[in-house]
């Protein structure tokens, strides 16, 4: 089995490598190719990756290359973990929207739109090159904004599934609270990428007992603290929103915080420099503890589980993924990309039935889906007016003067990444 990781020079990669090594019985990799144009980073990451495999007695071969076509040729699955423009672009995404009093964040709002515009054309080019060498390869997208990127891939006819670590993070936290194996915790997870709610937590599978009320009653304070939301809100909702919902439920509070503290991009950039220094140490043969602060918790487990299911290995029968709606949420178009539990196998995900979604959540999902439609149109076709329409549609923006100003800011800060600009 051959896997390729595009963006293999990321500081995330050793987390992924560690998962491949530990879970090799689920996903027997013979060749793993790390593809990245940043040769110096790739050499550091690749060296550590080989040492991790050696330490854990994994006999798969790790290859590093900057040649995309050679790297993906013959791959059974290609994982995408890209950041077009690097941390410098992320820093811009997190800062210029604040000038209008809007959220500055890399996956949602104006910053998320900027990232989508930079990313979608690059991802589609990569996917076409994968299709030329191996049209049956699965593309697993971990590149944000996952929902928009996955929809672009599926709309272009690629065999693609989007993956996010929010659900597996909740699964692991809830399992610890319940004192049970994470495999026994089945989430009723519904919404869009970075716009989801846990509406039920079932033990043993989709038909198991729903223990969410007990979780909220006994551990509500801890859950609320993790989300930086008040306990009383969770009690009133009766569900657990993802932490990204804080951008909507406490918008002004978050903007105030973002204006007065260092950006996450600056923190991550400093962390990456330290990690790369560590990766260059030839005695290091395991992922360093600092990597846990980089983000992407449980990314490796989720990625291995998904790849194993798609490639006929020992993956979990149900997994939370980003895939086509196909009537699952009847108020959305069939070709919308939603994030839900799905039955998994070599033929791809089949979303499980979802109970009628409360209008409180359905309304926001419909609104953001409309924004994602417009964002994808802007990413594919370009043009200031298309960018403006997407800005105006986003519920975190919504005022024409803000949308106008933010559109000009987005173009000014991203001109080198926008062919049409």
């Amino acid at each position: 089995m051959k896997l390729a990781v595009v963006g293999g020079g990321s500081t995330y990669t050793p987390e992924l490598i560690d998962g491949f090594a530990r879970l090799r019985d689920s996903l027997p990799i013979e060749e793993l190719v790390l593809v990245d144009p940043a040769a110096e980073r790739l050499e550091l990451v690749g060296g550590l990756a080989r040492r991790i495999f050696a330490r854990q007695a994994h006999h798969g071969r790790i290859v590093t290359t900057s040649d995309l076509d050679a790297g993906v040729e013959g791959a059974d699955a290609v994982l995408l973990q890209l950041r077009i423009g690097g941390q410098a672009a992320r820093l811009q995404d997190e800062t210029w929207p604040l000038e209008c009093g809007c959220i500055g964040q890399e996956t949602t709002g104006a910053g998320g739109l900027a990232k989508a515009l930079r990313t979608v054309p690059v991802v589609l080019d990569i996917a076409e090159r994968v299709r030329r060498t191996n049209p049956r390869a699965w593309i697993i997208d971990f590149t944000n904004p996952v929902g928009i990127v996955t929809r672009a891939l599926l709309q272009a006819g690629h065999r693609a599934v989007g993956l996010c670590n929010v659900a597996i993070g909740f699964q692991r936290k809830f399992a610890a609270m319940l004192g049970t194996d994470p495999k026994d915790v089945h989430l009723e997870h519904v919404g869009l990428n970075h716009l989801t709610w846990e509406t039920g937590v079932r033990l043993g599978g989709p038909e198991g007992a729903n223990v969410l009320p007990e979780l909220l009653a006994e551990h509500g304070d801890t859950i609320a603290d993790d989300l930086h939301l008040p306990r009383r809100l969770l009690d009133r909702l009766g569900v657990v929103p993802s932490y990204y919902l804080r951008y909507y439920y406490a918008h002004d509070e978050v903007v105030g915080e973002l204006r007065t503290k260092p950006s996450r991009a600056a923190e991550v950039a400093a962390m990456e420099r330290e990690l790369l220094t560590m990766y260059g140490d030839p005695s290091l043969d395991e992922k360093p503890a600092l990597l846990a602060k980089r983000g992407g918790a449980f990314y490796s487990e989720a990625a291995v589980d998904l790849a194993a299911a798609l490639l006929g290995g020992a993956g979990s029968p149900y997994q939370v993924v980003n895939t086509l709606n196909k009537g699952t949420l009847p108020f959305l178009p069939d070709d919308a990309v939603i994030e839900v539990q799905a039955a998994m196998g070599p033929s791809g995900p089949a979303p499980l039935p979802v109970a009628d979604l409360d209008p409180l959540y359905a309304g926001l999902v419909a609104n953001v889906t409309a924004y994602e439609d417009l964002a994808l149109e802007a990413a594919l076709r370009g043009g200031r007016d298309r960018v403006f329409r997407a800005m105006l549609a986003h519920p975190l923006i919504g005022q024409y003067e803000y949308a106008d100003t933010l559109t000009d800011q987005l173009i000014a800060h991203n001109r080198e990444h926008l062919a049409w600009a």
Side-chain angles (χ1 to χ4, degrees):
M1 181 183 297
K2 175 180 177 179
L3 266 65
V5 180
V6 180
S10 167
T11 54
Y12 271 134
T13 299
E15 168 71 28
L16 184 61
I17 298 298
D18 178 72
F20 285 151
R22 287 185 293 102
L23 304 172
R24 54 185 174 271
D25 290 343
S26 299
L27 192 67
I29 298 171
E30 297 166 297
E31 183 178 0
L32 177 64
V33 184
L34 306 181
V35 183
D36 203 294
E40 186 175 349
R41 288 174 63 109
L42 189 58
E43 182 180 355
L44 294 172
V45 173
L48 175 57
R50 293 186 185 97
R51 295 192 298 273
I52 291 173
F53 263 31
R55 175 189 175 96
Q56 301 195 35
H58 192 299
H59 300 297
R61 185 166 73 107
I62 294 179
V63 177
T64 58
T65 182
S66 58
D67 186 333
L68 176 65
D69 293 321
V72 302
E73 184 174 4
D76 297 287
V78 177
L79 280 68
L80 304 181
Q81 51 174 32
L82 310 176
R83 185 177 294 282
I84 307 304
Q87 294 299 331
R90 177 180 181 171
L91 178 61
Q92 296 292 343
D93 295 344
E94 292 180 355
T95 52
W96 52 263
L98 294 174
E99 297 172 15
C100 288
C102 294
I103 290 289
Q105 211 276 332
E106 63 157 344
T107 66
T108 192
L113 176 58
K115 194 171 195 302
L117 298 185
R118 293 193 302 268
T119 304
V120 165
V122 176
V123 165
L124 289 178
D125 176 66
I126 293 169
E128 285 299 328
R129 293 160 77 172
V130 171
R131 180 151 54 188
R132 286 200 297 267
T133 65
N134 184 6
R136 298 299 297 167
W138 281 102
I139 295 176
I140 298 174
D141 178 60
F142 198 72
T143 297
N144 281 319
V146 168
I148 295 172
V149 173
T150 302
R151 182 163 183 183
L153 288 165
L154 291 170
Q155 185 172 292
H158 298 288
R159 302 183 84 207
V161 183
L163 180 65
C164 180
N165 68 328
V166 168
I168 193 172
F170 274 131
Q171 182 196 46
R172 298 305 172 89
K173 288 178 182 177
F174 293 161
M177 291 172 179
L178 294 165
T180 190
D181 191 310
K183 292 180 181 179
D184 292 331
V185 175
H186 180 91
L187 302 177
E188 293 185 343
H189 177 104
V190 61
L192 310 176
N193 180 242
H194 290 185
L195 194 84
T196 52
W197 297 264
E198 310 307 323
T199 59
V201 177
R202 297 189 179 273
L203 293 181
E207 306 302 323
N210 181 16
V211 297
L212 180 57
E214 290 87 342
L215 266 175
L216 286 172
E218 297 175 17
H219 301 281
D221 289 339
T222 300
I223 296 170
D225 287 346
D226 286 346
L227 299 173
H228 300 286
L229 289 169
R231 165 71 184 270
R232 65 183 182 279
L233 176 63
L234 300 191
D235 289 340
R236 293 175 73 178
L237 296 178
V239 303
V240 179
S242 86
Y243 49 83
Y244 287 93
L245 266 298
R246 187 167 183 256
Y247 298 128
Y248 297 82
Y249 293 162
H251 177 275
D252 294 351
E253 179 182 345
V254 175
V255 167
E257 293 171 359
L258 294 174
R259 282 175 160 171
T260 57
K261 69 178 186 180
S263 72
R264 176 63 177 164
E267 293 176 354
V268 169
M271 202 178 304
E272 285 196 338
R273 290 190 292 270
E274 188 175 352
L275 284 169
L276 289 170
T277 299
M278 291 179 174
Y279 295 172
D281 179 355
S283 68
L284 182 67
D285 58 3
E286 59 184 342
K287 63 178 183 180
L290 178 62
L291 187 55
K293 298 180 180 179
R294 171 65 181 81
F298 309 117
Y299 163 38
S300 60
E301 285 88 343
V304 169
D305 206 19
L306 178 54
L310 294 173
L311 300 177
S316 302
Y318 304 111
Q319 297 179 34
V320 173
V321 294
N322 285 262
T323 190
L324 291 173
N325 178 43
K326 292 183 178 178
T328 307
L329 299 179
F331 58 90
L332 295 184
D334 284 350
D335 65 350
V337 165
I338 59 175
E339 188 171 288
V340 291
Q341 284 278 6
M344 295 301 304
S347 61
L352 299 185
V354 172
D356 289 343
L357 200 57
D358 187 308
L360 180 61
Y361 316 126
L364 188 53
V365 167
N367 189 339
V368 175
T369 297
Y371 151 76
E372 290 189 348
D373 289 347
L374 295 169
L376 182 54
E377 181 76 2
L380 294 174
R381 300 180 62 192
R384 187 189 185 282
D385 284 350
R386 293 188 181 94
V387 178
F388 170 80
R389 283 165 56 82
M391 289 281 192
L392 191 61
H394 201 293
L396 295 180
I397 301 167
Q399 297 184 55
Y400 75 88
E401 289 187 352
Y402 289 172
D404 254 334
T405 300
L406 291 170
T407 296
D408 290 338
Q409 290 271 44
L410 184 153
I411 294 170
H413 287 291
N414 292 275
R415 198 175 298 277
E416 65 181 294
H417 302 291
L418 306 176
W420 53 268

